[in-house]
Amino acid sequence: RSMFYSSQAPYRRRAASLVVRAEGRINPDIRKNEEKVVDSVVISELSKSLTAFCRCWRSGTFPLCDGSHVKHNKATDDNVAPLLVKK
Amino acid sequence: RSMFYSSQAPYRRRAASLVVRAEGRINPDIRKNEEKVVDSVVISELSKSLTAFCRCWRSGTFPLCDGSHVKHNKATDDNVAPLLVKK
Ligand code: FES
Ligand code: FES
C-alpha cells in the first residue's frame, strides 16, 4: 500500500499545479492578440547610437527598455536586463 | 459573517501563493552569478545581415535565439519571440 503513497490524487494534483506556475508565462500583457511577438529593427535607421531593447516583457515602451526590469528583478529576485545595441 | 467568507485564512493563503508563482522569475538559469544580465552588441561587427536575439531566456546560445521560445510558448501558452536585428 505504501508504494502508492506519492501518487494519491490530492497530493499529485497540487504538486503538478505548482510546477506549471513556476515555469509560467514570461509575457503577461504585451500584444496578446499576436501568436508570436516578433520585432524587427533596422539598426541603421535608429537615431541614437545606443538603444536598449527590453527582454523582461514589462516595459511600457516595448520593444524598447524603459527600466521596468529593475522592479521585476527586485520583486522576484531575478537578474534580467536589456540588450544594448550599438550601431 | 458572510462578509468575511473570501478572506478566511485557508482560502487566502492558497490564492496568494498562486499569484507569487505566476509573477515569478523570467530567467531560470542564465548567468545567475551576474546581478544583471546585460549584453552589448555592436551591430556593424556582426557577420550576418540579420540576427535573432533571445527574449525568452531559454536559449542554449543566449544572447542569441536558438528557437527554444517555441517549446516555452507551447508549454505555457505564451507568445514570446526574438528581436530580429538587421544591419
Ligand atoms: S524594461 Fe524590460 S529589460 Fe528593461
Ligand atoms: S530562444 Fe529565446 S527567443 Fe528564441
Side-chain angles (χ1 to χ4, degrees):
Chain A
R1 195 177 292 157
S2 65
M3 277 180 64
F4 297 99
Y5 175 74
S6 69
S7 55
Q8 285 178 349
Y11 174 80
R12 295 285 288 179
R13 218 173 278 142
R14 203 174 297 134
S17 144
L18 289 176
V19 169
V20 167
R21 294 289 182 161
E23 298 177 354
R25 289 185 187 190
I26 295 170
N27 173 24
D29 283 323
I30 292 168
R31 290 148 54 189
K32 282 297 178 184
N33 57 318
E34 298 178 24
E35 195 183 327
K36 275 196 202 181
V37 181
V38 178
D39 294 286
S40 289
V41 288
V42 179
I43 297 303
S44 61
E45 292 174 1
L46 292 177
S47 52
K48 296 185 296 175
S49 63
L50 180 70
T51 307
F53 287 96
C54 178
R55 302 191 291 188
C56 78
W57 300 88
R58 303 293 184 278
S59 176
T61 58
F62 196 89
L64 300 174
C65 167
D66 71 355
S68 296
H69 59 272
V70 174
K71 185 180 168 191
H72 163 81
N73 285 339
K74 197 167 288 184
T76 66
D77 190 31
D78 208 346
N79 65 342
V80 299
L83 175 74
L84 302 182
V85 172
K86 296 175 195 187
K87 279 207 219 183
Chain B
R1 195 178 289 159
S2 65
M3 277 180 65
F4 298 98
Y5 176 75
S6 69
S7 54
Q8 284 176 350
Y11 175 78
R12 295 285 290 180
R13 217 174 277 141
R14 204 174 298 135
S17 143
L18 289 176
V19 169
V20 167
R21 295 286 183 164
E23 299 178 351
R25 288 184 187 192
I26 294 169
N27 173 24
D29 284 324
I30 293 168
R31 291 150 53 190
K32 281 299 179 183
N33 57 317
E34 298 179 24
E35 195 184 325
K36 276 197 203 179
V37 181
V38 178
D39 294 285
S40 289
V41 289
V42 179
I43 297 304
S44 61
E45 293 174 1
L46 292 176
S47 53
K48 297 185 295 177
S49 64
L50 180 69
T51 307
F53 288 95
C54 177
R55 302 191 291 188
C56 78
W57 300 88
R58 302 292 183 279
S59 176
T61 58
F62 196 90
L64 300 174
C65 168
D66 71 355
S68 297
H69 59 272
V70 174
K71 186 179 168 194
H72 162 80
N73 285 340
K74 198 167 287 184
T76 67
D77 189 31
D78 209 347
N79 65 341
V80 300
L83 175 74
L84 303 182
V85 172
K86 296 175 194 186
K87 280 207 221 185

